[in-house]
Amino acid sequence: MNEIVELKKLAPQINLLKLNVPLITQRAKAGQFVVLRINQEGERIPMSITDLDPQTGILTIIFQEVGKTTAHLATLKQGDVLADVVGPLGVPTHMENFGTCVCVGGGIGIAPIHFVAKNLKQKGNKVISIIGARSKNLLILEEEMGKISDQLLISTDDGSYGHHGFVTDVLTQLLSQKVEVDYIMAIGPVIMMKAVCGVTAPHGIKTLVSLNPIMVDATGMCGACRVTVGGKTKFACVDGPDFDGHQVDFDELLKRQAMYLKQERIAMERFKQRLGDKTKEGVAK
Ligand SMILES: Cc1cc2nc3c(=O)[nH]c(=O)nc-3n(C[C@H](O)[C@H](O)[C@H](O)COP(=O)(O)OP(=O)(O)OC[C@H]3O[C@@H](n4cnc5c(N)ncnc54)[C@H](O)[C@@H]3O)c2cc1C
Ligand code: FES
């Protein structure tokens, strides 16, 4: 249990991690997440589920190296065992046959939107996916998204692939073509989810977002993941992570996500120092 069966790089700083966690794969659903801890001293980090196979007990996660713990995770190898993998956590994304659904995934957000889009397709929806990244080399899961979507549209910020610009430009174009859209799900950086909601609000299309505030216990006890939705306080770990995007206070979320930047920078510097020392001693490569 909790064993790494595969860990490989998909793109610079982006890794695919397959874990043997049969108890979680039997119960987990699209939209849920797990909390990992590498070792007894490690911090708990939430990670969305990209895919799972209840037959083999393998859960797939895709993670980006953004700080100390994700950088440490990327140094592990097949056969290593994580101290804890807790889940499934959060409320599953509500699934039904809505009609035509647009799934918007930006950057690492393409990983969780993949599982949502796959399930929406299985429910009989027409799925139009819009995925985007800063540059072509950072675009993940293009082939997988193509397989589960009726239409796949791509954008890159630098124009190296697909539409030159943001996923919101592509969404704006799509909606201006009078395509009947019944439901939109957007997952990605907070600023992207805010922009998507800005595009869809005038059209009155229901838009769900999956929020990623800082989480600590992920069981509704600590309050770290507090978000304001429709003027009410919600805890993303137990009330979400999916919320009605038109009701979310994104500016507050952006501020709260940056609360520990100084401490995160120090932790990363110490980790790099330790890694450098070990490499010099020949203990780690
Ligand atoms: C429900 C949920 C699902 C997520 N799914 C994914 C995923 O599928 N792939 C992925 O790459 N990332 C995902 N994240 C974000 C991921 O948890 C953070 O990138 C990770 O915790 C960063 O840890 P770090 O030590 O490497 O970086 P740090 O240097 O500690 O932090 C870098 C940034 O990551 C965020 N962060 C830090 N600690 C946490 C925390 N405990 N909880 C949430 N965010 C944090 C903050 O915005 C911070 O500024 C998800 C977050 C949530 C809440
Ligand atoms: S992470 Fe503690 S209440 Fe949600």
Side-chain angles (χ1 to χ4, degrees), residues 9 43 57 68 96 122 134 160 200 211 221 225 230 253:
K9 229 170 220 357
E43 72 169 335
K68 188 230 160 188
E96 63 175 69
Q122 282 166 359
R134 287 203 308 278
S160 49
T200 62
L211 300 185
M221 307 278 278
C225 68
L253 175 57

Side-chain angles (χ1 to χ4, degrees), residues 208-247:
L208 253 77
V209 291
S210 177
L211 300 185
N212 53 348
I214 290 180
M215 291 186 179
V216 178
D217 68 328
T219 61
M221 307 278 278
C222 72
C225 68
R226 173 168 67 78
V227 287
T228 305
V229 183
K232 296 201 177 99
T233 296
K234 299 278 177 190
F235 293 151
C237 66
V238 287
D239 300 322
D242 292 354
F243 293 100
D244 176 351
H246 296 142
Q247 301 290 322

Side-chain angles (χ1 to χ4, degrees), residues 13-15 31-34 43-50 61-72 89 108-109 111-112 210-216 225 236-237 240-241 254 256-261 263-265 267-268:
Q13 317 287 308
I14 301 180
N15 305 274
Q32 291 188 294
F33 64 95
V34 294
E43 72 169 335
R44 299 157 57 81
I45 57 162
M47 286 289 154
S48 306
I49 298 169
T50 299
I61 286 164
I62 295 182
F63 70 94
Q64 187 161 25
E65 295 164 52
V66 292
K68 188 230 160 188
T69 303
T70 45
H72 186 182
L89 298 166
I108 197 72
S210 177
L211 300 185
N212 53 348
I214 290 180
M215 291 186 179
V216 178
C225 68
C237 66
L254 279 166
R256 287 183 61 79
Q257 268 191 332
M259 272 192 314
Y260 299 109
L261 283 181
Q263 291 87 342
E264 288 159 4
R265 203 184 55 245
M268 188 60 186

Side-chain angles (χ1 to χ4, degrees), residues 58-132:
I58 305 294
L59 182 88
T60 306
I61 286 164
I62 295 182
F63 70 94
Q64 187 161 25
E65 295 164 52
V66 292
K68 188 230 160 188
T69 303
T70 45
H72 186 182
L73 194 58
T75 65
L76 302 185
K77 292 182 184 59
Q78 185 184 350
D80 287 344
V81 175
L82 301 181
D84 327 299
V85 184
V86 179
L89 298 166
V91 181
T93 302
H94 174 69
M95 289 289 159
E96 63 175 69
N97 191 336
F98 296 101
T100 299
C101 302
V102 177
C103 293
V104 187
I108 197 72
I110 300 170
I113 206 82
H114 168 263
F115 199 24
V116 172
K118 184 174 164 184
N119 279 266
L120 285 170
K121 186 72 199 150
Q122 282 166 359
K123 283 278 174 198
N125 290 284
K126 177 179 177 186
V127 174
I128 303 174
S129 298
I130 305 174
I131 58 172

Side-chain angles (χ1 to χ4, degrees), residues 121-196:
K121 186 72 199 150
Q122 282 166 359
K123 283 278 174 198
N125 290 284
K126 177 179 177 186
V127 174
I128 303 174
S129 298
I130 305 174
I131 58 172
R134 287 203 308 278
S135 186
K136 184 180 181 192
N137 67 334
L138 295 171
L139 190 78
I140 55 167
L141 301 183
E142 179 187 351
E143 196 185 322
E144 291 80 354
M145 289 301 292
K147 279 187 196 153
I148 55 173
S149 308
D150 294 279
Q151 191 181 359
L152 176 65
L153 303 165
I154 294 171
S155 70
T156 50
D157 300 1
D158 65 0
S160 49
Y161 193 50
H163 169 82
H164 185 174
F166 299 130
V167 285
T168 40
D169 304 334
V170 179
L171 180 62
T172 304
Q173 273 173 20
L174 186 78
L175 297 181
S176 72
Q177 290 160 7
K178 305 271 178 267
V179 176
E180 275 289 307
V181 175
D182 302 290
Y183 171 97
I184 295 183
M185 176 95 202
I187 312 182
V190 175
I191 202 77
M192 182 212 92
M193 294 190 283
K194 181 183 176 186
V196 166

